[in-house]
Amino acid sequence: MRVMAQMAMVMNLDKCIGCHTCSVTCKQAWTNRTGTEYVWFNNVETRPGQGYPRTYEDQERWQGGWTLNRRGRLTLRSGSRLRKLFTIFSNPKMPAIDDYYEPWTYDYETLTNAPLQEHTPVARPKSLISGDDMKIRWSANWDDDLAGAPELAPADPVLTAIRDKVSEKVRLEFEKTFMFYLPRICEHCLNPACAASCPSGAIYKRAEDGIVLVDQDRCRGWRMCVTGCPYKKVYFNHRTGKAEKCTFCFPRVEVGIPTVCSETCVGRLRYIGLVLYDADRVLAAASTKDDTDLYRAQREVFLDPHDPAVIGAAERAGIPRDWIDAAQRSPVWALINKFEVALPLHPEYRTMPMVWYIPPLSPVVDVVRETGEDAEAAGNLFGAIDALRIPVEYLAELFTAGDPAPVNAVLRRLAAMRSYMRDINLGREPDDSVPAAVGMDGETVHEMFRLLAIAKYDERYVIPAAHAEQAHALEELATECSLDYEGGPGMGGSGPFGESSGGVTPLAVENFHLLKERQTADDVTPLRSRVNLLNWDANGGTEGLFPARPAEGAADIDDPGAEAVPRPQGPTDAAGPTGAGR
């Protein structure tokens, strides 16, 4: 047993309202610069829909993920290393700009500088690639709220997969009554196909926490990773010639702060936690013969953090004790293996994804309510789940490789929790037969309800901070971040119309506890200047690194007429800026 730690995420789709706040804040933090206009590390898709990029789930076309060869061994669907060598200069198996969208801006100058005239001037859309006038035909959010569904939804690969299982009439009724949102980020897989596809070995999985990153120094722009990723969450920056992807906001995670998409989520639907897994079982689990068994196989890879044998093996593997404690309190572990309500996205790709989803129950409730019946009654809900086969089939294609049994079990557990807790909240005697019908008891239902409905901040995000002894390694990793180069976050840069994302902001400054202190303080005290702590050698002071302090006997700092005297800094300070002798 080789125990390793993995940061993971669970999203409760019942709570997603499709506001796209997570997408916008992620865009502002990581890809608000030229060369990445079409890049969305986080995006929210409407289901049914084609997704982003269009029909990315059609692996017959895009050749992403893994498959089993005739001998039952894992092999990349896009071909062996030898095949990649022969096609390294020509790789047509990846989305074109039309499958994403041609990024645009608007001719605001004409709009704002037009002279007085009879008709209102128009800000025409301008391509950010060519600078020419263009017609907007697609974007990352084109089919939001089933926009254009009669025309666009039939191209949804998941609908195509279940078309033979249901009649055309029922499928059309399903399109009218069932819709939900699916937020997506990089899956940070246990068996990442993008890393295996990279000829230069630029994509790697961090041993400390399992986050998958791109080493920009080693990336040569072959773009095989774009083909290899079945979720199409690796993007190519045409300005830098490098691949980029979601970093799981590792500078924030290292100090115990959740990802930007989680922090800003309006519905509070995201949970982040640590999972312990047996690295020696990953290959065997990913090689499971039957696609419908992959969900259960991956669950067996996860280790019980309360098991004394697992704790001992984790400590021998060098996993810190507070990380083991965090794994024991992890909401991700609880939702996946304790309550068994979270499911992986497309396990049939065999990448062992680490972003899991709780399927939505609300559409089932809505259908019951439309009949005039009590939508919260356990009998009605259970009956609706059994009768409403099409949503279950659709969800099964997304989360369990087409097997409806696990999806049915999850929906029944969610329905039981809703009905059982409703009786309690209304002051009625709870019916213990409701949780018993789904293999649970009242206490377990209470725990699940607290986590899914009223969990506090530190219950939704159980993120152990990186240790001081890992600082040097983390510094080196920070320099390999997929965005640490000219034109990275906040580095500025101009497009055809002079867009700029702002001044220089050191990426790795978030690695230190300063950010956490500022975010949890009652007031915000801005730094006097921006300081990159990784470039500070601890010899002498740096302006802006320490606040000014009044000297002994100086006037009170609150006195408007008093002048603060900074404490001595520089080589003359023998004790150094921290006051500790060397």
Side-chain angles (χ1 to χ4, degrees), residues 347-348 391-405 407:
E348 69 273 17
V392 173
E393 295 288 345
Y394 188 91
L395 294 172
E397 286 295 329
L398 278 176
F399 302 123
T400 54
D403 183 7
V407 179

Side-chain angles (χ1 to χ4, degrees), residues 154-213:
D156 180 353
V158 179
L159 273 182
T160 302
I162 67 172
R163 187 169 294 160
D164 296 336
K165 302 178 183 179
V166 297
S167 68
E168 186 71 15
K169 178 180 178 181
V170 175
R171 186 174 68 83
L172 290 176
E173 291 178 355
F174 158 58
E175 288 178 2
K176 295 177 182 177
T177 59
F178 185 74
M179 182 194 80
F180 69 96
Y181 300 105
L182 182 70
R184 292 203 306 121
I185 64 171
C186 168
E187 297 286 333
H188 295 277
C189 307
L190 297 181
N191 184 36
C194 59
S197 301
C198 180
S200 55
I203 300 185
Y204 63 98
K205 188 172 181 66
R206 297 209 308 187
E208 296 84 359
D209 51 20
I211 296 176
V212 179
L213 298 173

Side-chain angles (χ1 to χ4, degrees), residues 270-529:
R270 300 181 187 232
Y271 300 81
I272 299 178
L274 200 67
V275 174
L276 301 180
Y277 70 97
D278 187 354
D280 291 335
R281 297 187 195 173
V282 172
L283 179 60
S287 303
T288 300
K289 183 176 181 181
D290 194 338
D291 286 351
T292 56
D293 293 332
L294 285 165
Y295 157 64
R296 299 177 185 86
Q298 184 171 354
R299 281 187 53 202
E300 294 175 358
V301 171
F302 302 144
L303 300 172
D304 184 355
H306 300 279
D307 186 344
V310 172
I311 295 174
E315 290 177 339
R316 289 191 296 273
I319 298 177
R321 180 66 210 193
D322 61 323
W323 280 48
I324 298 174
D325 294 340
Q328 294 174 346
R329 296 182 292 110
S330 171
V332 173
W333 160 260
L335 292 170
I336 292 176
N337 268 18
K338 182 179 180 180
F339 304 130
E340 300 181 18
V341 292
L343 302 171
L345 180 64
H346 289 299
E348 69 273 17
Y349 297 161
R350 301 178 182 272
T351 60
M352 304 282 110
M354 289 308 299
V355 177
W356 288 43
Y357 296 87
I358 300 174
L361 181 66
S362 293
V364 181
V365 179
D366 292 340
V367 170
V368 177
R369 184 178 293 111
E370 289 172 3
T371 65
E373 300 291 336
D374 184 356
E376 304 290 344
N380 291 338
L381 270 181
F382 287 162
I385 292 171
D386 291 335
L388 205 61
R389 300 301 303 168
I390 307 308
V392 173
E393 295 288 345
Y394 188 91
L395 294 172
E397 286 295 329
L398 278 176
F399 302 123
T400 54
D403 183 7
V407 179
N408 260 313
V410 170
L411 293 178
R412 289 174 68 85
R413 283 173 175 257
L414 296 174
M417 180 192 72
R418 183 173 295 201
S419 297
Y420 184 80
M421 294 306 302
R422 181 201 181 194
D423 287 340
I424 294 177
N425 292 332
L426 293 179
R428 298 198 292 249
E429 189 68 25
D431 183 0
D432 290 333
S433 66
V434 174
V438 294
M440 303 175 73
D441 55 36
E443 183 179 353
T444 305
V445 170
H446 268 280
E447 292 182 31
M448 186 168 73
F449 173 77
R450 176 171 182 83
L451 187 56
L452 291 180
I454 58 176
K456 296 183 181 298
Y457 185 92
D458 57 357
E459 294 172 322
R460 288 183 284 122
Y461 309 129
V462 182
I463 307 171
H467 278 234
E469 61 269 21
Q470 299 173 332
H472 177 71
L474 292 173
E475 286 181 17
E476 296 301 320
L477 288 172
T479 63
E480 297 175 351
C481 167
S482 64
L483 302 171
D484 184 21
Y485 53 83
E486 163 62 24
M491 297 297 285
S494 299
F497 304 97
E499 291 80 3
S500 176
S501 57
V504 177
T505 301
L507 174 66
V509 74
E510 287 189 282
N511 286 0
F512 294 81
H513 292 279
L514 172 64
L515 176 69
K516 186 174 182 180
E517 293 171 3
R518 292 181 64 193
Q519 289 199 352
T520 56
D522 293 332
D523 58 350
V524 178
T525 304
L527 292 175
R528 295 177 61 188
S529 63

